[in-house]
Structure formats: C-alpha cells, structure tokens
Amino acid sequence: MRKKMVAGNWKMNLSLEEAMTLSGELIEKLDHHRRDGSPGKENKLPDVVLFPPFIYLTRIREFFPDTKGVAVGAQNCHHEESGAYTGEVSAPMLSSAGATHVLIGHSERRAQFGEDDQLLARKASRALKNGLTTLFCCGEKLPERESEQHFDVVEKQLQSGVFWMKEEQLSHAVIAYKPVWAIGTGKTASPAQAQEMHLFIRRLVEKTYGKAAAGNIRILYGGSCNANNAGELFAQADVDGGLIGGASLKPRDFFQIILAAAS
Ligand code: PGA
C-alpha cells in the first residue's frame, strides 16, 4: 500500500517571518490533530514535505524536528557536485542543510530557465547520488493537450528524466504529474483526467521496471489543487497525493489538503 504524500511548493513567496508564522501554524494544527485523534491516527497522515526557498531551508528544518512528521526539500539543485557556479546551490549543500527532498523539472524551471530533459536527468542523478528523494515533475502544455499529444509529451519527459534510473534509484523517486495549463490558473484537471494520466504513467513504469516497482512508486498530482478539490483527486486509485503551490501558502487550506490525503 503506497503512503500518500502532500508537498507544499512555496515558490518565490513569503518573507522569512511569514514563512516562520506559516510553519508555526502548521505545527499547531498537526499537533492538535495528533492530540485529539484516536490512537494510531497519526500514522495515517500522509508524508508531508515543504519546499521553501533555499535561503529558509535550515530555519524551516529546525522548526520541524523529526518527530513532527514534516520533511523539508529544495525547489531545485545544480547538476554538478561543486565548483565555480556563482549563485547556484548544489545537492550536497542541500543535504548538509537538512533537506531530504528536491523538486526537479518543475514546468516553471523548464519554461523560464530553459531546463531541458537532458539537464534535468543530470540534476536528478546528482540529487539521488546525494541521497535526496527526487520529485520529478512532468506535464503537458495546453496546446499539447488540445492536440491530444499529452500522453506522448509526458512519456518523453519521463523517458529522459526518470527511466534511466536503476530500480533502486527509482525507489527514491516520486513522480509529479503537473499539467502546465492547471498550474496557478485555478483550472484543475478533473479527477478523471488526473486518474487517466496517472494510470498511464504507472503502466509506463511497469513496462520499464515491472509490477512491483509500478505498485510502489508514488505519483502526485499538481495544478490548482486546493482544499475543495483535493479529496476527490486523492480518491483516484493512482493519485498518491499532491504537489501544492498556491494553497500551500495558506495554513488552513494546506492542512485541509493534508487531511484529505489521510486514510
Ligand atoms: P498551484 O501550483 O497549486 O498554485 O497551481 C502547483 C505547483 O506549481 O507546484
């Protein structure tokens, strides 16, 4: 049985003070839930991962000691181990700062920073070598969906970004399906559209790695997922949680989404 995951991608938002306040409110809600929940209920909460801007990583990590059940990750990393790359952040730096996860291939990185499939594969490889769980993002743009190329686009992104991994590496990867037309637009994929694509992705994993790996890999949905639609999306057989942007900045909404993934 796959454990669900809810991840919050803060993108380039929040001052440090706002980030600390948000984290404090989230801890309070989680603690309250655990205190008032029936015994064993804590185990049923999904894995929760926060992706703050690099500069807040250590502070936010300190806020969530291991017992709080919230991991911290970075929104990006460089593809080299170290060196003369002014302004960049490497995977070993992230690990040493307490990050356990990293996002690779977000559509905003692809579109605004020209990150292509080849570079993303190198980033994913570097992240995995440094022990970071890698959330690899894929998803089609609106014209690609309208011209019914969405399956081909996602397959190509995964072929180059993920399917080079050895099975052991794949066990430290999570796939996030994030249709670009749904990101920050308020336009969510319908539960049926999400399920259709997630099942397609799981079958691709099965073709490459076999049934067990396909059964184990988590596939998250992202794109205007919010407190109102999360329940229905997460109820789909192949949707293992969500990668949340805008709604992760509102503690009440984000907590509702976490609860929607609790079993
Ligand atoms: P959104 O963003 O939830 O605001 O649509 C999702 C993401 O880009 O991670």
Side-chain angles (χ1 to χ4, degrees):
M1 185 63 188
R2 297 179 295 272
K3 189 171 182 195
K4 284 199 167 37
M5 176 184 276
V6 172
N9 175 13
W10 293 355
K11 309 193 181 184
M12 198 174 74
N13 292 301
L14 306 174
S15 66
L16 178 57
E17 199 184 334
E18 289 166 340
M20 302 299 268
T21 305
L22 192 159
S23 302
E25 285 177 27
L26 194 58
I27 284 202
E28 210 174 285
K29 288 183 188 309
L30 288 167
D31 283 350
H32 187 267
H33 176 78
R34 286 183 184 122
R35 260 198 321 272
D36 294 355
S38 54
K41 207 169 169 186
E42 184 177 338
N43 297 334
K44 293 180 183 164
L45 284 177
D47 288 337
V48 178
V49 192
L50 298 178
F51 290 91
F54 287 136
I55 193 169
Y56 304 158
L57 270 171
T58 35
R59 293 293 293 277
I60 303 299
R61 181 72 195 86
E62 283 162 15
F63 231 90
F64 294 99
D66 290 343
T67 49
K68 298 289 179 192
V70 177
V72 175
Q75 298 171 19
N76 179 31
C77 73
H78 197 268
H79 57 279
E80 293 292 356
E81 194 79 359
S82 64
Y85 301 99
T86 303
E88 289 293 324
V89 176
S90 71
M93 289 173 186
L94 295 178
S95 306
S96 72
T100 48
H101 294 65
V102 66
L103 290 181
I104 300 289
H106 192 284
S107 59
E108 287 154 15
R109 299 294 316 170
R110 292 177 190 263
Q112 298 165 14
F113 301 93
E115 296 188 357
D116 61 17
D117 287 340
Q118 243 182 339
L119 178 69
L120 294 173
R122 293 179 70 190
K123 287 187 178 222
S125 165
R126 188 63 64 188
L128 288 166
K129 272 192 195 125
N130 283 280
L132 295 166
T133 298
T134 301
L135 274 76
F136 191 90
C137 307
C138 60
E140 79 285 357
K141 300 187 189 106
L142 187 59
E144 293 164 341
R145 177 160 281 264
E146 285 172 346
S147 58
E148 295 186 4
Q149 288 174 288
H150 46 298
F151 293 117
D152 291 344
V153 169
V154 167
E155 180 166 359
K156 187 172 162 283
Q157 289 171 341
L158 293 176
Q159 287 295 355
S160 53
V162 174
F163 295 163
W164 55 268
M165 293 176 193
K166 297 199 179 83
E167 196 173 334
E168 201 281 322
Q169 291 172 303
L170 187 79
S171 69
H172 300 285
V174 173
I175 295 173
Y177 169 58
K178 304 175 60 61
V180 181
W181 48 271
I183 296 177
T185 57
K187 203 172 158 190
T188 323
S190 69
Q193 282 173 321
Q195 168 57 21
E196 184 185 36
M197 182 59 86
H198 283 228
L199 179 60
F200 172 75
I201 293 171
R202 202 174 300 286
R203 288 198 174 133
L204 288 179
V205 175
E206 184 176 338
K207 238 190 333 190
T208 316
Y209 297 95
K211 249 191 168 30
N216 287 332
I217 192 155
R218 289 186 283 191
I219 308 172
L220 311 187
Y221 169 79
S224 298
C225 185
N226 59 39
N228 295 326
N229 59 30
E232 221 188 328
L233 285 160
F234 298 168
Q236 304 303 306
D238 291 287
V239 178
D240 304 313
L243 177 52
I244 318 300
S248 73
L249 301 172
K250 301 175 204 143
R252 201 170 158 275
D253 292 29
F254 191 55
F255 184 66
Q256 287 305 319
I257 296 171
I258 293 172
L259 289 186
S263 52

